[in-house]
Amino acid sequence: MKIKKSSWNLLVFYGHSEVDNLLNDISNEVINKLYQIANRNHIIVCDNLNLKNSTPDVCFTFDKGIVMNPNWSTRVDYSFRLAHELSHILYEDHDAQAVYEFSEYGKRGEELLAHQNAIRMLMLIEMPCSPLTFMSYYHVPFWLEGEVIGIYNEF
């Protein structure tokens, strides 16, 4: 997969509605690429619009399935959450746990690894112009700033 410089650093040259359109285009492109990764790896992803806003996204590692809740009340962007859940299936020790619920505060081994792999996966899809741009765009929790900077510097 090629790493490309993002158009995010051009946002200052656009008006407000153009910025919104460009961000929506980037978001749709990223989500589509995440769905392609899921499809290539035979991972089923479904949005459940009937869940309460207090219900987090859920990943079933043994069944290779992810249930996303677009209604969930969290600041963390859908793309980051999806990449996080995909990471549980793609990169985790499947003997560790069968079911994961997304938590932006999860700092234990498997959760931290999924956060790191989500950051890496998203940067491979669309390389930001800076770590802080990445954190702001995906609403990555502040406590992951060191991870974002470290992974950004790998590229």
Side-chain angles (χ1 to χ4, degrees):
M1 195 175 290
K2 279 189 161 180
I3 298 171
K4 60 182 177 177
K5 280 292 179 190
S6 170
S7 52
W8 296 355
N9 57 350
L10 301 176
L11 295 179
V12 292
F13 298 111
Y14 292 99
H16 184 67
S17 62
E18 288 88 358
V19 170
D20 289 342
N21 290 339
L22 184 57
L23 290 175
N24 285 335
D25 290 346
I26 293 169
S27 178
N28 290 337
E29 179 184 337
V30 170
I31 290 170
N32 285 336
K33 289 188 178 181
L34 290 171
Y35 283 140
Q36 289 171 10
I37 291 168
N39 191 41
R40 277 195 312 267
N41 290 280
H42 310 287
I43 298 170
I44 298 168
V45 178
C46 72
D47 286 346
N48 189 332
L49 300 174
N50 297 317
L51 297 174
K52 295 180 182 178
N53 66 358
S54 59
T55 305
D57 308 313
V58 180
C59 169
F60 303 92
T61 59
F62 294 146
D63 298 324
K64 294 180 80 171
I66 298 169
V67 177
M68 297 295 294
N69 182 2
N71 302 321
W72 189 28
S73 291
T74 181
R75 282 200 29 86
V76 180
D77 186 74
Y78 181 97
S79 300
F80 184 84
R81 294 172 11 226
L82 178 56
H84 173 98
E85 299 306 336
L86 284 168
S87 293
H88 277 302
I89 295 172
L90 295 172
Y91 307 114
E92 297 288 325
D93 175 6
H94 295 224
D95 294 328
Q97 195 167 323
V99 178
Y100 290 93
E101 290 184 348
F102 181 87
S103 170
E104 61 189 276
Y105 306 108
K107 297 179 182 180
R108 67 190 167 114
E110 298 97 358
E111 288 301 314
L112 180 57
L113 185 60
H115 286 315
Q116 292 166 335
N117 285 323
I119 294 164
R120 194 169 283 108
M121 187 183 305
L122 291 169
M123 285 187 185
L124 284 169
I125 291 171
E126 183 72 29
M127 189 64 184
C129 60
S130 76
L132 294 180
T133 302
F134 180 88
M135 292 189 66
S136 175
Y137 182 78
Y138 291 110
H139 302 283
V140 176
F142 178 73
W143 68 269
L144 284 166
E145 181 179 18
E147 300 295 332
V148 172
I149 292 169
I151 293 167
Y152 179 86
N153 288 333
E154 290 176 7
F155 296 101

